[in-house]
């Protein structure tokens, strides 16, 4: 018969003690209940966080759309103002070349104004 090494016996005994201690630690039902209740609480908090995140994301999208609408309306107002200024300059033009430059500028501004009106109408849902 072979002699059994002392280290092997000590390792088997240590492993046996670890198994017993592990069993005693995790066999207690109250500890599992505490762990389960903490996990349930964490799950509930995670669910609330997800709902808050979804709501915040929705609010952000709405704010983004409102910002785009306000920007388009601002651009429309600026182009209307420019158009009025050029109309005034056209009425007060002194020479033909200046009048032509103003006419070209007015055409450009009016084209831009028409595009911006279409964008604003689209954002506000006025296109039918």
């Amino acid at each position: 018969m072979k002699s059994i090494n002392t280290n092997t016996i000590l390792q088997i005994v240590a492993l046996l003690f670890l198994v017993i201690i592990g069993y005693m630690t995790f066999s207690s039902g109250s500890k599992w209940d505490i762990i389960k209740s903490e996990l349930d609480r964490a799950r509930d908090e995670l669910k609330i966080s997800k709902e808050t995140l979804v709501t915040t994301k929705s609010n952000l999208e709405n704010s983004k759309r409102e910002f785009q609408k306000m920007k388009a309306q601002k651009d429309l107002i600026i182009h209307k103002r420019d158009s009025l200024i050029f109309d005034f300059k056209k009425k007060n033009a002194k020479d033909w070349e200046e009048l032509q430059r103003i006419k070209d500028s007015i055409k450009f501004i009016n084209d831009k104004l028409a595009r911006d009106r279409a964008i604003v109408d689209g954002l506000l849902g006025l296109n039918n």
Side-chain angles (χ1 to χ4, degrees):
M1 192 191 260
K2 293 183 179 180
S3 68
I4 299 177
N5 192 353
T6 312
N7 286 336
T8 308
I9 294 174
L10 289 176
Q11 287 176 352
I12 292 172
V13 171
L15 185 61
L16 186 61
F17 278 123
L18 284 175
V19 169
I20 292 170
I21 291 171
Y23 175 77
M24 290 174 61
T25 301
F26 292 110
S27 65
S28 169
S30 63
K31 290 181 182 174
W32 283 112
D33 290 339
I34 292 171
I35 292 171
K36 185 177 182 283
S37 67
E38 289 297 317
L39 286 174
D40 289 340
R41 190 174 60 82
R43 189 176 299 123
D44 291 340
E45 288 177 7
L46 182 61
K47 183 180 177 185
I48 291 169
S49 297
K50 281 183 181 179
E51 290 170 356
T52 303
L53 186 60
V54 167
T55 302
T56 303
K57 186 177 178 183
S58 173
N59 289 340
L60 182 62
E61 289 295 323
N62 290 338
S63 298
K64 190 176 175 182
R65 277 194 297 272
E66 289 297 320
F67 181 74
Q68 288 173 344
K69 287 179 185 178
M70 288 188 291
K71 185 178 181 301
Q73 288 174 338
K74 177 197 74 144
D75 290 343
L76 181 65
I77 290 169
I78 287 171
H79 295 311
K80 281 183 179 180
R81 178 202 66 193
D82 291 345
S83 179
L84 291 173
I85 290 171
F86 284 125
D87 282 340
F88 177 76
K89 285 183 179 180
K90 180 177 134 184
K91 290 178 184 174
N92 296 326
K94 295 180 183 170
D95 63 355
W96 181 253
E97 291 175 11
E98 184 181 355
L99 189 59
Q100 285 301 110
R101 284 193 314 271
I102 292 172
K103 181 180 172 187
D104 293 340
S105 296
I106 289 173
K107 184 178 180 329
F108 176 75
I109 293 296
N110 284 338
D111 291 343
K112 222 172 171 186
L113 185 62
R115 283 193 314 267
D116 287 344
R117 272 194 184 125
I119 290 170
V120 170
D121 289 347
L123 287 173
L124 296 176
L126 299 177
N127 291 343
N128 291 329

